Amino acid sequence: MKHTDERTRPVPPLPSQEPVRLVDRYGGRREHSSFTAPDHAVLAELHRAMVIGRRFNQQAGTLARQGRLAVYPSSTGQEASQVGGVLALGERDWLFPTYRDSVAMITHGVDPVETLTLFRGDWRSGYDPHRYRCAPQCTPLATNASHAVGLTYAARRKGRDVAALVLMGDGATSEGDAHEAYDFAAVWNTPVVFLVQNNRWATSVPSHRHGMRGYHVDGNDAAAVHAVVAHALAEARAGGGPAIVEALTYRVDPHTDSDAPQRYRDDGEVEYWVERDPLMRMEMLLRNEQIVDDGLLGIYERDAERVATAVRDRMAGEDRLDPASLFTDVYAQVPPVLERQRHELAEELREA
């Protein structure tokens, strides 16, 4: 797609003006030959997942304020990018999330409470990556990118039809890890798609000079994100190589619950984007197309509340951490020095 200057890029329209815009090339020309619009069932699932994700963000923020989580980086306002991308994945594909992609993870099937393990201060990722085909959440910026390239390269060498979706923030594209991943993905022609959620509060955007396909998409339009990512993944699986998808969106919540965004952005800017809420936009589309009614939307809200209630109830208990677990899931075969230390620790715990 044509790459244009940041100042010339259109912002998402108000939901009342244009409830959905499948894919628009910057400059106003519609891309209609390459991308397939999601069907009604997918559109409904996109909205349901965003409703659940919004409620999950709210509940996790409350848990952080109560001290049950050490921190929580919300993605409120970015749900369309995360949900649209994840629901484009195939059954064999892998997700490589960052610390801000909890909504993407629960949409991908990861247990909501296990998703929050990282933010409770546990040393583990909290879930079995192989069970969910979801890599551990990446806290250092962009390190998940090269992991995804390595996994897809190895899968292809083994004859396995596996693609990967890497979630990144716009700030992560400044890191050397990101550009190394882009280069290796292009050189090895690996089936990986890098979805950059550009929420307009980092100074850099990805460079499209690595010999790979690049797309811009309205990140507040879940249908558009789904269409573009699905297209990019299909081409990648077919041997078309990696791609970068830049989704222009906006995070209305603070960077984390301990952040004070009023120091660097004004309320008017936030309100401008609140009026362009991706959930309102999708709901208007579904109503206009007569895909949902008040009854079905009420079911989505109840589903979201059940998820929030289950998270709240399960997080209310105090987990008893087993110190011996520090020695598990580190080595396939525990080396003698760690085996000795494990026995020494067990002996000390018995005498305590």
Side-chain angles (χ1 to χ4, degrees):
M1 272 192 171
K2 183 179 179 181
H3 187 72
T4 60
D5 186 84
E6 173 74 26
R7 293 168 295 181
T8 67
R9 296 174 184 170
V11 297
L14 288 168
S16 60
Q17 296 172 340
E18 191 175 1
V20 69
R21 174 179 50 187
L22 175 56
V23 184
D24 278 327
R25 181 192 295 271
Y26 286 113
R29 290 171 293 174
R30 179 174 290 272
E31 289 283 344
H32 53 76
S33 59
S34 300
F35 302 100
T36 302
D39 61 27
H40 285 188
V42 173
L43 289 174
E45 181 56 26
L46 287 168
H47 186 67
R48 176 181 179 274
M50 285 195 292
V51 171
I52 292 174
R54 176 67 58 87
R55 185 66 185 91
F56 178 85
N57 270 327
Q58 294 168 346
Q59 183 60 65
T62 299
L63 292 170
R65 290 190 292 275
Q66 293 173 343
R68 298 189 182 279
L69 298 177
V71 68
Y72 182 70
S74 174
S75 60
T76 296
Q78 298 180 215
E79 296 94 344
S81 296
Q82 296 193 16
V83 167
V86 166
L87 289 183
L89 288 168
E91 291 184 2
R92 300 179 184 178
D93 297 339
W94 275 69
L95 174 66
F96 285 78
T98 73
Y99 60 87
R100 195 177 299 283
D101 299 315
S102 297
V103 169
M105 293 167 61
I106 65 173
T107 303
H108 193 56
V110 180
D111 180 272
V113 172
E114 293 179 0
T115 296
L116 294 173
T117 298
L118 173 68
F119 309 117
R120 301 185 73 175
D122 200 332
W123 70 276
R124 296 169 177 257
S125 69
Y127 53 91
D128 181 352
H130 292 278
R131 175 185 176 187
Y132 298 111
R133 306 187 79 78
C134 179
Q137 286 168 285
C138 166
T139 299
L141 296 182
T143 56
N144 58 337
S146 36
H147 297 164
V149 176
L151 182 141
T152 51
Y153 175 76
R156 192 179 62 185
R157 290 289 299 268
K158 295 177 180 178
R160 298 174 182 171
D161 183 18
V162 175
L165 178 66
V166 179
L167 299 181
M168 309 171 69
D170 45 314
T173 63
S174 298
E175 298 293 325
D177 300 73
H179 293 276
E180 291 167 4
Y182 300 159
D183 286 338
F184 277 110
V187 169
W188 289 338
N189 201 44
T190 58
V192 57
V193 172
F194 304 94
L195 176 56
V196 181
Q197 300 171 83
N198 185 350
N199 66 49
R200 300 168 185 265
W201 269 105
T203 58
S204 62
V205 294
S207 170
H208 296 266
R209 299 180 180 176
H210 298 270
M212 70 174 77
R213 295 167 294 135
Y215 304 95
H216 289 129
V217 63
D218 181 346
N220 280 24
D221 185 342
V225 175
H226 184 278
V228 173
V229 173
H231 173 81
L233 285 168
E235 283 201 337
R237 294 189 199 98
I244 295 177
V245 177
E246 182 187 11
L248 298 175
T249 182
Y250 192 88
R251 184 187 66 251
V252 298
D253 278 354
H255 183 73
T256 67
D257 56 285
S258 60
D259 185 29
Q262 62 273 14
R263 294 180 304 176
Y264 55 84
R265 66 183 189 185
D266 59 63
D267 293 340
E269 176 181 312
V270 176
E271 184 59 32
Y272 178 87
W273 284 95
V274 168
E275 293 175 352
R276 287 155 175 78
D277 190 319
L279 273 71
M280 291 193 301
R281 190 169 177 182
M282 180 59 74
E283 180 179 335
M284 182 162 290
L285 167 69
L286 296 177
R287 287 186 182 275
N288 288 348
E289 296 291 325
Q290 298 183 338
I291 299 173
V292 300
D293 54 18
D294 288 344
L296 187 55
L297 291 173
I299 291 174
Y300 294 169
E301 294 287 350
R302 290 192 291 275
D303 289 344
E305 197 57 42
R306 277 195 292 270
V307 171
T309 300
V311 170
R312 184 171 60 247
D313 292 346
R314 290 171 61 190
M315 294 289 287
E318 295 294 333
D319 284 346
R320 298 193 58 169
L321 301 179
D322 180 9
S325 67
L326 287 169
F327 299 93
T328 62
D329 300 326
V330 179
Y331 292 94
Q333 295 182 335
V334 181
V337 62
L338 285 185
E339 189 65 43
R340 183 172 66 253
Q341 291 176 6
R342 179 163 61 182
H343 286 300
E344 290 173 355
L345 175 61
E347 187 63 30
E348 290 182 11
L349 293 174
R350 281 193 294 269
E351 293 176 357

